[in-house]
Amino acid sequence: MKNSYDLVVKNGNVVLSGEVMRLDIGVLEGKIAAIGENLTITSDSNVIDAEGQYVLPGMIDMHVHFNEPTMGHWEGFRSGSAALAAGGCTTYADMPLNGNPPTVNEAALKLKAEAACGNSAIDYVLWGGLVPGNLDDLETLAAAGVTGFKAFLSNPGGEGEGRFREVDNNTLYQGMKTIASLGGILALHAESEDITAALSADAERDGRNTAGDFAACRPPEAELEAVARALLYSERTGCRLHFVHISTAAAIEMIHSAKLRGLDVSAETCPHYLILNETHMENLGPVAKCAPPLRSEEEREKLWKVLSEGKIDLVASDHSPCPTELKLKEDLSFFEAWGGISGAQSSLELMFHEGVAVRGLPVTLISKLLAELPAKRFGMQDRKGSIAVGLDADLVLLDPNRSYKLDAEDLLYRHKHSPYIGLTLSCKVTATICRGNIVYTAEDGVIIGDGGQWLRINEGQLIR
């Protein structure tokens, strides 16, 4: 064991897999080199005293939209990754939309990678897309290193000829067969287009355009139908599935039952479904608009129940930013406003506050949902997701007793709107470390430095 370390994090309540222990962590050349009591500190070591704080593995946010190339004025890698670093995230997965062109072929992936290179504070993976017409591009995208593929079962919105499109049933089925043959994974936005389109058309015809009307046009049944259909296709094709931003406990139960039957499937939910409800959406307006929509308070409690039972596989932000005027311009109806929540910077603090401080859930469970399980699901467990010797030194310090009120000026997004503004949180991220580099401190802010690395995934294994 080395007696000299580049960095030592001492006296912290270290969150390991299944337990919390007061330990020191020694970091050498970007890796965790030692974990123990009273590690030797030399004059060459940088020291962080974590007394009274939790030291957790850095969050892995598997669902963000940074909108590059072309749409970086909505949110780019530099501002988006800075916000994530300030929230305790050390690795993220950028979705294939809403940039232009979307990441549905190798040329578009190259543009995305070029936009990210040198502009990310933390490490990242990139999703490819499954859309009508790109079945022949899937193998090339997989070989180039995408972490998986994303598809919509309902209209994703947006403008322009090249925008991301929802899949028809044949594209979904054929795409799943191809992805299965590649050993890949498909992430699905699971809402039925037939249901949501018909209900939305009825609402438009009748002049119903409030927040409540929007929610009624995207009912739980639309989610349940889409999940059931995708599970059937998964069973027939053998394709691994990951359901993003699930909003109902019934859908979680359906996915969990499929898993017990032997299907290789997983479910994600988001902080906004666990923190907010449809009343918040009505009171806050379009800043809280998302799809699927926020649900009832009863549904929110049901989600916490299935989470506590271990039926949710991971929590991700689904950070979907836009210029503020696309949310709050006076003449926009709720239906016309952009649908997407800006929340990536707050995920860890929200989950700790509500899950641990308010509900008394184990901090190990929250850490598992935010770091360990995402790493295992997406082929990064030999490098990310846990505090263990030999893994990347991806660490976050969280003070459980440093409460503060979230203000707009605290946010590092390009456009500083969020439904969480005004909330008083019982905890605060005080430092974030990515591969041994201190990328954020509460005192100094974000330090991008040399930038994060693109972790290219090939059949579940990291390309070194």
Side-chain angles (χ1 to χ4, degrees):
M1 182 179 294
K2 297 284 186 181
N3 291 322
S4 179
Y5 308 103
D6 301 324
L7 172 68
V8 177
V9 180
K10 59 180 292 188
N11 302 323
N13 297 311
V14 178
V15 181
L16 304 171
S17 182
E19 62 181 339
V20 179
M21 298 180 67
R22 182 182 168 89
L23 297 167
D24 298 346
I25 301 172
V27 177
L28 184 66
E29 296 179 352
K31 301 287 185 180
I32 298 173
I35 304 171
E37 297 180 350
N38 303 313
L39 293 183
T40 301
I41 299 173
T42 67
S43 59
D44 296 331
S45 301
N46 186 11
V47 178
I48 298 177
D49 191 347
E51 181 73 41
Q53 300 189 65
Y54 285 105
V55 183
L56 302 100
M59 179 181 174
I60 299 173
D61 192 337
M62 288 304 301
H63 193 158
V64 303
H65 298 267
F66 286 166
N67 303 319
E68 294 200 71
T70 308
M71 301 295 287
H73 59 286
W74 283 32
E75 186 88 281
F77 284 102
R78 184 163 284 264
S79 59
S81 69
L84 284 169
C89 184
T90 52
T91 307
Y92 62 91
D94 187 53
M95 285 293 174
L97 69 163
N98 299 301
N100 188 13
T103 313
V104 296
N105 54 49
E106 188 176 20
L109 176 63
K110 182 179 179 181
L111 292 174
K112 173 85 76 173
E114 288 173 348
C117 185
N119 286 309
S120 182
I122 55 178
D123 291 346
Y124 53 94
V125 296
L126 302 175
W127 286 95
L130 170 64
V131 295
N134 86 321
L135 291 174
D136 292 340
D137 293 297
L138 301 181
E139 184 174 0
T140 303
L141 283 168
V146 298
T147 197
F149 301 91
K150 169 75 177 291
F152 274 71
L153 301 188
S154 60
N155 188 340
E159 297 179 353
E161 285 297 317
R163 70 177 179 86
F164 203 91
R165 305 273 182 176
E166 72 272 16
V167 292
D168 55 83
N169 285 335
N170 183 58
T171 297
L172 177 63
Y173 184 72
Q174 298 300 333
M176 288 173 69
K177 287 203 299 184
T178 299
I179 292 166
S181 73
L182 298 170
I185 189 167
L186 177 64
L188 284 174
H189 178 127
E191 288 185 289
S192 166
E193 174 64 13
D194 286 345
I195 294 174
T196 59
L199 292 175
S200 297
D202 289 344
E204 183 179 7
R205 184 188 64 243
D206 298 339
R208 293 181 280 112
N209 57 16
T210 67
D213 296 326
F214 174 78
C217 290
R218 308 187 87 94
E221 291 75 18
E223 182 171 82
L224 292 168
E225 189 280 332
V227 167
R229 179 164 26 115
L231 288 174
L232 172 63
Y233 288 11
S234 174
E235 192 168 20
R236 296 303 175 90
T237 64
C239 184
R240 301 163 63 218
L241 289 183
H242 176 65
F243 291 92
V244 300
H245 53 50
I246 293 296
S247 66
T248 62
I252 294 292
E253 294 283 10
M254 188 183 295
I255 296 163
H256 183 68
S257 294
K259 192 184 305 180
L260 295 179
R261 297 198 309 272
L263 270 66
D264 192 345
V265 296
S266 53
E268 156 197 312
T269 194
C270 305
H272 42 269
Y273 299 118
L274 295 164
I275 303 298
L276 306 172
N277 59 36
E278 60 189 6
T279 301
H280 291 104
M281 184 170 63
E282 292 168 358
N283 293 338
L284 293 170
V287 74
K289 179 184 175 182
C290 57
L294 300 178
R295 304 296 187 187
S296 67
E297 179 62 13
E298 178 184 12
E299 191 61 63
R300 186 176 81 95
E301 289 298 328
K302 287 180 180 178
L303 269 184
W304 275 108
K305 182 175 184 295
V306 293
L307 181 146
S308 68
E309 293 170 345
K311 295 175 181 176
I312 293 175
D313 296 288
L314 63 95
V315 174
S317 69
D318 189 14
H319 180 64
S320 184
C322 70
T324 303
E325 61 267 22
L326 297 184
K327 281 282 195 185
L328 303 178
K329 193 176 178 181
E330 286 186 9
D331 59 350
L332 287 177
S333 71
F334 196 92
F335 276 62
E336 293 169 330
W338 177 258
I341 283 178
S342 291
Q345 186 172 324
S346 303
S347 296
L348 172 56
E349 292 174 353
L350 288 165
M351 291 301 296
F352 184 93
H353 169 77
E354 181 71 17
V356 179
V358 174
R359 296 174 180 268
L361 295 176
V363 65
T364 50
L365 173 60
I366 300 305
S367 177
K368 188 176 182 180
L369 289 164
L370 296 179
E372 182 181 338
L373 291 178
K376 288 180 177 179
R377 183 58 172 157
F378 294 99
M380 293 180 276
Q381 71 275 12
D382 62 343
R383 186 167 175 179
K384 306 284 187 181
S386 301
I387 297 177
V389 172
L391 299 193
D392 284 355
D394 287 2
L395 308 169
V396 54
L397 278 64
L398 181 120
D399 188 337
N401 299 308
R402 187 167 169 177
S403 66
Y404 76 106
K405 180 182 177 183
L406 182 65
D407 295 322
E409 53 264 33
D410 297 321
L411 300 174
L412 301 184
Y413 313 139
R414 184 174 290 275
H415 304 283
K416 301 181 188 302
H417 59 258
S418 171
Y420 306 127
I421 291 172
L423 291 182
T424 297
L425 300 171
S426 57
C427 58
K428 173 70 176 173
V429 170
T430 63
T432 304
I433 300 162
C434 181
R435 283 180 287 103
N437 299 308
I438 300 171
V439 295
Y440 168 80
T441 67
E443 291 74 27
D444 299 327
V446 174
I447 307 122
I448 289 189
D450 293 334
Q453 295 179 353
W454 176 17
L455 309 179
R456 286 185 274 188
I457 308 295
N458 186 7
E459 296 187 354
Q461 300 300 313
L462 283 170
I463 297 174
R464 299 295 181 152

